[in-house]
Amino acid sequence: MDIQFILSALLVNLPLALSPGPTNILCLSLASNQGFRKTLKFIAGLQVLPFIYSLIIAIGAEEKLGKFNNISMIAKVLGSIYMLYLAIFMLKSDSSIEKRRKLKVDSLMVSLLRR
């Protein structure tokens, strides 16, 4: 692994890590609903996959995937389809605050009436 590869990896990953993407928005949403401590497990789970990718690249997957461009293209297409699915799913979901408050009040009333 040469310095040029390390530098290019840093220049690609640093802006991605610092930019507000869908993962950061999802973490903020979970933290606002469930609290910071419960969101920490989710954030730790999110970091597993990039760590595995880094290990695979460090082992030498760059040389192997360079020989098989079809595998790389399939992974890109599948990843794009999955991200599109997540975007559509998030757009269809109703996340209004008034609806959540109404659901909390309704569930509280039902629990009080049962007593």
Side-chain angles (χ1 to χ4, degrees):
M1 199 176 326
D2 59 345
I3 192 73
Q4 183 180 4
F5 173 73
I6 294 171
L7 184 61
S8 65
L10 283 175
L11 289 175
V12 167
N13 289 321
L14 190 63
L16 290 174
L18 297 176
S19 66
T23 307
N24 294 347
I25 294 170
L26 181 60
C27 289
L28 288 173
S29 173
L30 284 174
S32 69
N33 288 335
Q34 298 180 359
F36 177 71
R37 290 188 184 254
K38 289 185 179 180
T39 309
L40 285 177
K41 292 179 185 177
F42 179 75
I43 293 171
L46 288 175
Q47 298 306 316
V48 170
L49 197 58
F51 178 72
I52 291 173
Y53 287 157
S54 299
L55 284 178
I56 290 171
I57 290 172
I59 292 172
E62 177 188 11
E63 289 181 25
K64 302 297 181 193
L65 288 178
K67 294 177 184 176
F68 304 105
N69 289 333
N70 292 339
I71 296 173
S72 179
M73 183 57 74
I74 290 171
K76 288 177 186 178
V77 169
L78 289 176
S80 299
I81 291 171
Y82 179 67
M83 290 302 289
L84 184 63
Y85 164 76
L86 288 178
I88 292 171
F89 183 74
M90 287 182 73
L91 286 174
K92 287 184 177 180
S93 68
D94 184 19
S95 61
S96 65
I97 295 174
E98 290 82 22
K99 182 179 178 183
R100 288 184 190 159
R101 286 184 185 154
K102 185 178 183 314
L103 287 174
K104 286 181 183 179
V105 169
D106 289 346
S107 64
L108 180 63
M109 293 298 288
V110 168
S111 66
L112 289 175
L113 290 174
R114 286 184 182 170
R115 291 182 181 178

